[in-house]
Amino acid sequence: MKIIFKKYTLATIFLSAVFLTGCGTTAIKYDYGDYAESYYSYKKEPGENSLKEWKSAMTEVVSNAKEKDLRVPPGIYANLGYLALKENNNIEAITYFKLEKQTYPQATRFMNNLIQKAEKANGGELS
Amino acid sequence: MRRVKTLITASFLTLIFIGLTGCGPSLTTKVKDFPKMYTEKPESILILPPMNETTAAEAKSYYSTTIETPFAYQGYYIFPNELTSEILKQEGIYDSELLYETPLKKFHDYFGADAVLFTTIKKWDVSYAVIASSLTVSIDAEIKSTKTSETLWKYNGTIVQNLSDQNSSGGLAGILVSVIATAINTALADYTKYAQVANARIINSAPYGVYHPNYMKDQNMEIIDQTPAQNNQ
C-alpha cells in the first residue's frame, strides 16, 4: 500500500511539474506600447508633430519598462539615439546606442558603428 | 463469417482514419519544415525593405511599420527599421534591385545580423466585382542566413476580406478580421490592419527566438504545412 501510494505521489509530482512548466511564463516580457501605431502615423504623414508623437511613444515605452521591470524592447534605445543624432545631440545619441548594446549584445557591432559615427560628428562640431 | 466481419471493421476503421487525416489543411511541425532554424539558431534578424510586387506604391513603407514588433515579440533581436532603412538609403540600395544582389555576408559585416528577413508584398488591393468586392493582403516572408545564404524559414500569409458581406467570412481568420475591422466602411484603405493579421499567421510558424521563454522548446509545435507550395516556386 505504501509503495503504491509513493508511486502515485511521484507520478503526481511529475505530472504537476510537467503541467506547471508547460503553462508558465509563455509570453515575452516586452511592451511596445504605441510604438508601431505612432511609427505608422509618422510614415503616413511625416512631419514635426508625427515625429514628436513617435518619439514620445518611445520614451513612454522606456519609462513603462522601468516601472514594470520589463526589458526595453529591441530597437527602442537605438531609435531614440538615432533621433538624438538627427538633432545633433551626439552625446545623448551615444548614451542611447550604448544602452541598446547593453540590453542586447546582438546589437553590439551595429551600435559600435553608430557610436563611431556620432563621435566623429561630435569631434567635427567641437573643432 | 467472423473473419469477414473483422475485415469489414478493419477496413472501415482504416477509411475513417484516412478520412480524418485527409480533412483540412495538412499539418507539420516547426522542426520538420524548418530544421535549419534549430541548428543555426539565428538570434538577430535584419528586416530588409520589402519587395513590392503590387501597384500600391505606399505599401512598401507602410508594411515596414507592421513587421518589426511581431518578430521581436517572437523572441528575436530586431534591428530598428527606421535606422537600418536610412543606412540602406545612404548606401543607395534601399529602392533598387541591388539590395537583392548584395551578398548577405555584408549585412553581417556591418550590422552583425545573424539572418535577414526578405518580405514580398504579393497583393495589397481591393478588387471590385459585381457580386462581391474583396480586400486582399498577401505577404511572402523568408529568413536567410548571413553565414550560409541558405533559406532557414519561409512562409506566406494571405488575408482575403469580403467587403460586401462581413458576416459571411468564415473561420478564425474571419472572426479576427471582422473584430479589427469595425471601421471598415469608413476606412476601406487601411491595409495595415490586414497586414497585421497576415503577419500573425506568418510569424506563428516561425520558431521562437532567443528572448522568448519557449526558445528551443517549440520544435514539435504544429503548423499548417506550406511546403508543397514552396516546391512549386
Side-chain angles (χ1 to χ4, degrees):
Chain A
M1 188 61 198
K2 242 186 184 173
I3 293 168
I4 292 170
F5 178 73
K6 251 189 187 167
K7 259 187 186 168
Y8 275 118
T9 322
L10 275 176
T12 313
I13 290 171
F14 179 71
L15 275 176
S16 30
V18 170
F19 183 71
L20 285 175
T21 49
C23 57
T25 49
T26 47
I28 204 159
K29 288 187 167 179
Y30 294 150
D31 189 354
Y32 269 102
D34 295 329
Y35 168 79
E37 290 75 12
S38 56
Y39 182 30
Y40 170 58
S41 305
Y42 171 58
K43 295 311 261 186
K44 206 173 171 187
E45 280 170 56
E48 223 170 270
N49 281 335
S50 56
L51 180 65
K52 234 185 223 167
E53 265 167 44
W54 187 43
K55 191 179 172 182
S56 76
M58 287 192 283
T59 45
E60 184 75 19
V61 170
V62 173
S63 56
N64 181 49
K66 279 180 182 159
E67 223 171 83
K68 294 183 183 161
D69 203 24
L70 304 171
R71 189 191 282 266
V72 173
I76 297 292
Y77 282 133
N79 273 320
L80 286 169
Y82 170 59
L83 295 184
L85 198 64
K86 287 222 294 199
E87 291 162 5
N88 290 321
N89 294 328
N90 299 310
I91 304 289
E92 192 190 337
I94 291 168
T95 310
Y96 277 128
F97 293 147
K98 281 184 177 164
L99 280 167
E100 178 83 12
K101 68 171 182 175
Q102 274 164 24
T103 320
Y104 298 101
Q106 291 84 358
T108 305
R109 185 175 297 197
F110 184 33
M111 290 305 116
N112 285 347
N113 281 334
L114 292 168
I115 289 166
Q116 232 175 31
K117 218 179 211 183
E119 276 170 349
K120 243 186 219 167
N122 202 44
E125 215 170 61
L126 288 175
S127 63
Chain B
M1 191 59 196
R2 196 171 266 177
R3 250 183 109 181
V4 176
K5 251 188 179 172
T6 323
L7 259 175
I8 291 172
T9 321
S11 48
F12 187 65
L13 283 175
T14 317
L15 273 177
I16 288 178
F17 183 72
I18 291 169
L20 284 176
T21 48
C23 271
S26 70
L27 294 176
T28 181
T29 60
K30 288 184 177 182
V31 73
K32 241 188 230 166
D33 270 12
F34 313 116
K36 285 173 193 161
M37 285 295 275
Y38 293 98
T39 48
E40 207 175 303
K41 300 176 192 162
E43 292 183 0
S44 59
I45 298 177
L46 175 70
I47 298 172
L48 294 174
M51 266 191 272
N52 188 4
E53 290 184 356
T54 75
T55 49
E58 76 286 354
K60 183 170 173 148
S61 110
Y62 290 179
Y63 179 68
S64 326
T65 68
T66 68
I67 191 75
E68 285 182 283
T69 56
F71 268 101
Y73 280 125
Q74 191 76 359
Y76 293 94
Y77 177 75
I78 296 300
F79 293 87
N81 184 69
E82 187 63 13
L83 192 40
T84 53
S85 320
E86 193 57 41
I87 284 162
L88 296 176
K89 275 175 195 164
Q90 282 168 17
E91 294 293 316
I93 55 178
Y94 178 82
D95 266 320
S96 72
E97 290 301 313
L98 277 175
L99 181 65
Y100 300 95
E101 289 160 16
T102 306
L104 299 185
K105 198 184 161 291
K106 290 221 163 150
F107 297 116
H108 183 263
D109 292 346
Y110 187 82
F111 295 101
D114 294 337
V116 290
L117 174 75
F118 288 97
T119 53
T120 308
I121 308 165
K122 307 292 279 187
K123 281 192 176 147
W124 186 275
D125 54 31
V126 176
S127 67
Y128 296 98
V130 180
I131 300 169
S133 302
S134 63
L135 182 149
T136 308
V137 171
S138 181
I139 308 289
D140 274 352
E142 184 174 14
I143 293 176
K144 282 188 168 187
S145 161
T146 53
K147 292 188 195 92
T148 63
S149 299
E150 277 184 88
T151 299
L152 305 177
W153 170 88
K154 190 177 179 179
Y155 218 71
N156 168 275
T158 300
I159 294 296
V160 180
Q161 172 67 19
N162 187 339
L163 297 177
S164 324
D165 181 8
Q166 289 170 49
N167 299 322
S168 72
S169 55
L172 183 64
I175 295 164
L176 270 175
V177 168
S178 58
V179 165
I180 59 165
T182 44
I184 189 150
N185 293 324
T186 48
L188 268 184
D190 203 358
Y191 293 90
T192 46
K193 290 205 163 70
Y194 298 95
Q196 283 163 9
V197 181
N199 286 343
R201 283 194 180 176
I202 292 171
I203 286 152
N204 281 337
S205 77
Y208 289 121
V210 66
Y211 289 104
H212 197 281
N214 286 345
Y215 176 57
M216 294 307 280
K217 289 181 193 163
D218 62 342
Q219 286 90 333
N220 295 318
M221 197 183 261
E222 283 188 332
I223 54 169
I224 293 173
D225 195 7
Q226 289 189 345
T227 32
Q230 281 177 26
N231 292 340
N232 288 340
Q233 282 172 4

